[in-house]
């Protein structure tokens, strides 16, 4: 297998997953905005959108792991994007639980933290540290 092609594919998979994750978080924010204006028709859209957040987060973690593994498991940038992706994945479940069963006063600020983490991962996916990765297996 061509390892250069594999590394480039992994990096593009990470970029796509991070952008998808940001997109579904934007969807969640838009539907949440509808909920605060008492548009109850948005509730199922927001509820099922949370599942999209979890799927996109899992895809981002898988792609970050693929990049990290292909980089020889050593360089700082792949390790950082994997760590940020894992934290965002875990935080997404806690954030969703707060929306369903916990205080909404915490649900919204945690959503902002989650969005910031995913944006950080997206920025890292285009960083010089990942563009200049050594070719691994």
């Amino acid at each position: 297998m061509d390892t250069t092609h594999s590394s480039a594919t992994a990096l593009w998979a990470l970029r796509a997953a991070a952008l998808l994750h940001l997109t579904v978080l934007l969807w969640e924010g838009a539907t949440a905005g509808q909920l605060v204006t008492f548009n109850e028709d948005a509730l199922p859209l927001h509820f099922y959108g949370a599942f999209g957040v979890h799927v996109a987060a899992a895809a981002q973690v898988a792609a970050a792991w693929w990049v990290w593994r292909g980089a020889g498991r050593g360089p700082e940038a792949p390790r950082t994007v994997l760590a940020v992706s894992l934290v965002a994945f875990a935080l997404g479940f806690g954030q969703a639980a707060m929306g369903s069963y916990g205080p909404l006063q915490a649900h919204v600020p945690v959503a902002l933290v989650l969005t910031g983490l995913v944006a950080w991962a997206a920025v890292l996916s285009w960083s010089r540290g990942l563009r200049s990765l050594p070719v691994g297996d």
Side-chain angles (χ1 to χ4, degrees), residues 77-105:
R79 187 175 52 239
T80 303
V81 77
L82 177 58
V84 170
S85 297
L86 284 166
V87 170
F89 179 72
L91 187 61
F93 284 98
Q95 202 272 341
M98 280 186 268
S100 296
Y101 309 108
L104 287 178
Q105 296 86 347

Side-chain angles (χ1 to χ4, degrees), residues 23-116:
T23 301
V24 292
L25 287 172
L26 178 63
W27 170 265
E28 285 297 271
T31 57
Q34 290 296 307
L35 291 172
V36 253
T37 62
F38 304 106
N39 178 0
E40 292 186 18
D41 292 339
L43 186 58
L45 299 173
H46 191 71
F47 176 80
Y48 290 111
F51 293 100
V53 170
H54 301 317
V55 169
Q60 182 179 321
V61 167
W65 177 83
W66 186 13
V67 168
W68 172 74
R69 183 176 166 269
R73 300 180 182 160
E76 184 177 334
R79 187 175 52 239
T80 303
V81 77
L82 177 58
V84 170
S85 297
L86 284 166
V87 170
F89 179 72
L91 187 61
F93 284 98
Q95 202 272 341
M98 280 186 268
S100 296
Y101 309 108
L104 287 178
Q105 296 86 347
H107 179 72
V108 174
V110 173
L112 295 175
V113 171
L114 178 60
T115 303

